[in-house]
């Protein structure tokens, strides 16, 4: 139970050297252990005050308590705090990504709606041109084929919906 490293080599209050003192103390402790039951050992362990030994590991071991390093406890607490902050940051990032994705999808849907609207408008114009062509053919069956070809060439410009409007 006693720290033999911290003893002085000059002699203690009893006038004996540290080697004699520690051997006497250890033999007295051994005799006391043989005479007392195990519950007395537990009482001796609990009767040692905290901080009795300079070495905190030995102090905790002598008192029968698990040694907890303050630096290690602080490190564990720090890791827990960091884990919580990382989780919060991940949630914020996930929400931001979801919002950006939703906005992008809405923009794409709007673009598709505009494109389909243009396609529909072009198909309507094509149908109108087809109707005009049919009416002109019926009304001008007596007109010469040269004039029909000229009219058809003019109408082909309207039928080719892939040409850009200028």
């Amino acid at each position: 139970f006693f720290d033999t490293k911290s003893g002085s080599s000059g002699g203690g209050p009893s006038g004996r050297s540290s080697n004699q003192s520690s051997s006497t103390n250890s033999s007295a402790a051994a005799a006391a252990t043989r005479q007392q039951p195990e519950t007395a050992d537990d009482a001796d362990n609990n009767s040692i005050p905290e901080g009795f030994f300079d070495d905190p590991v030995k102090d905790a071991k002598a008192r029968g308590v698990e040694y907890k390093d303050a630096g290690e406890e602080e490190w564990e607490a720090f890791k827990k705090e960091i884990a919580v902050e990382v989780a919060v940051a991940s949630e914020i990032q996930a929400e931001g990504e979801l919002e950006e994705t939703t906005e992008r999808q809405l923009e794409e849907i709007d673009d598709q709606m505009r494109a389909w609207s243009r396609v529909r408008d072009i198909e309507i114009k094509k149908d109108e041109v087809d109707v005009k062509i049919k009416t002109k053919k019926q009304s001008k069956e007596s007109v010469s084929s040269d004039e029909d070809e000229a009219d058809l060439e003019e109408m082909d410009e309207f039928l080719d919906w892939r040409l850009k409007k200028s």
Side-chain angles (χ1 to χ4, degrees), residues 28 31 37 46 48 64 76 78 82 95 118 145 164:
N46 292 336
I48 296 175
E76 291 299 323
F78 174 75
I82 292 298
E95 288 175 6
R118 286 194 335 242
S145 64
K164 287 188 174 181

Side-chain angles (χ1 to χ4, degrees), residues 78-140:
F78 174 75
K79 289 194 318 189
K80 287 179 183 177
E81 287 181 31
I82 292 298
V84 168
E85 292 299 322
V86 165
V88 169
S90 296
E91 288 178 15
I92 291 171
Q93 183 178 6
E95 288 175 6
E97 289 176 357
L98 179 64
E99 185 176 319
E100 290 175 4
T101 302
T102 304
E103 288 176 9
R104 190 176 337 111
Q105 288 174 345
L106 287 174
E107 289 175 9
E108 289 175 3
I109 290 171
D110 288 342
D111 289 342
Q112 287 178 353
M113 288 175 61
R114 278 187 240 116
W116 281 111
S117 157
R118 286 194 335 242
V119 167
R120 184 173 168 258
D121 292 342
I122 291 171
E123 286 179 347
I124 290 172
K125 286 181 184 179
K126 179 186 172 251
D127 290 342
E128 290 174 358
V129 169
D130 284 342
V131 169
K132 286 181 183 178
I133 291 175
K134 285 180 183 179
T135 56
K136 283 187 178 183
K137 279 185 180 180
Q138 291 173 357
S139 65
K140 292 188 179 183

Side-chain angles (χ1 to χ4, degrees), residues 57-82:
V57 176
K58 287 183 180 179
D59 186 50
K61 185 177 180 182
R63 289 183 293 120
V65 185
E66 182 181 341
Y67 173 70
K68 296 178 183 174
D69 186 19
E72 194 65 32
E73 287 179 3
E74 189 174 327
W75 175 247
E76 291 299 323
F78 174 75
K79 289 194 318 189
K80 287 179 183 177
E81 287 181 31
I82 292 298

